[in-house]
Amino acid sequence: MITVAAVLGVSAVALGLVLTPGPNMIYLVSRSVTQGRRAGLLSLAGVAAGFAVYLTAATLGLAAVFAVVPQLYLVLKVGGAAYLGYLAWTAFRPGGRSVFQPQELPADPPRRLFLMGLVTNLLNPKIAILYLAVIPQFVDPAAGPLWLQSLVLGGIQVAIAVTVNGLIVLAAGSIAGFLGRRPTWLRIQRYLMGTVLGLLAVKLLTDKVRPVTP
């Protein structure tokens, strides 16, 4: 049986990650603000599908592949850090825009919204590291089948992430309107997001965590 400590640990990590600005939040908010809540929710469905892909891979032991071939993990980590660094630069650069600032984006059809949400999540370095290196540390070989523990703990993370992201999608328009009437707060939000993304990029590059197999 999975321990309460493992459930609370995964829940805390999942909540911390979903509240930290990253590719998923940027994509979901941008779509919700520019194309409406329906577009945001369709994009969220794609993000949820990406979580399902990672959960299935983790249950099947993908972390073991990266543990055996650490070069693949290194490529993933460096590429993810570079992507987060790029997102940080887009927030800091002259003329940069806040994620909550309305901008002209083409109105994508439902299928594209779903697929972009899926791809954005699959390429999200935070989620990759979570499933490959963090969640396996909460799996206890003495607590029952390893695949079942991975499935349950991953399911908890998915439930938290989808719920919080759903609330963000529903509130994105209101937040954008609030910040739009307050340019100073809009700039503060942009710089704060850029700082967090930059720190995440540095942490990802310097982190010594490696994929672990339960």
Side-chain angles (χ1 to χ4, degrees):
M1 180 179 292
I2 296 176
T3 65
V4 174
V7 172
L8 293 178
V10 169
S11 298
V13 171
L15 186 59
L17 284 179
V18 74
L19 291 176
T20 303
N24 286 348
M25 182 183 293
I26 292 172
Y27 178 68
L28 292 174
V29 169
S30 66
R31 278 302 166 194
S32 300
V33 171
T34 59
Q35 204 172 331
R37 290 177 176 175
R38 181 174 180 273
L41 292 174
L42 285 170
S43 300
L44 178 58
V47 170
F51 283 129
V53 171
Y54 268 118
L55 178 55
T56 301
T59 302
L60 295 176
L62 180 62
V65 176
F66 285 89
V68 173
V69 189
Q71 293 82 0
L72 292 178
Y73 182 74
L74 180 61
V75 170
L76 173 67
K77 188 170 76 167
V78 172
Y83 183 44
L84 289 175
Y86 167 75
L87 293 177
W89 164 244
T90 61
F92 278 122
R93 70 183 178 185
R97 304 174 70 94
S98 165
V99 66
F100 288 102
Q101 186 173 354
Q103 52 186 305
E104 292 296 328
L105 289 176
D108 288 327
R111 180 180 179 184
R112 180 171 174 80
L113 290 169
F114 178 89
L115 289 176
M116 286 301 297
L118 171 63
V119 172
T120 298
N121 199 19
L122 291 179
L123 297 179
N124 188 342
K126 293 196 305 179
I127 305 305
I129 299 301
L130 173 68
Y131 277 94
L132 295 175
V134 179
I135 288 182
Q137 297 183 29
F138 292 95
V139 175
D140 182 2
L146 303 182
W147 68 269
L148 183 58
Q149 292 185 63
S150 297
L151 187 64
V152 172
L153 293 175
I156 292 172
Q157 180 273 326
V158 172
I160 292 173
V162 171
T163 299
V164 175
N165 277 319
L167 294 175
I168 291 173
V169 165
L170 295 177
S174 299
I175 295 173
F178 174 85
L179 293 176
R181 296 188 297 270
R182 297 164 177 82
T184 300
W185 282 101
L186 203 61
R187 287 193 298 271
I188 291 175
Q189 188 277 329
R190 177 162 59 90
Y191 293 139
L192 179 61
M193 184 184 71
T195 299
V196 172
L197 289 171
L199 290 175
L200 281 174
V202 173
K203 179 175 175 54
L204 194 57
L205 280 176
T206 59
D207 198 350
K208 301 300 182 181
V209 174
R210 294 291 184 271
V212 297
T213 54

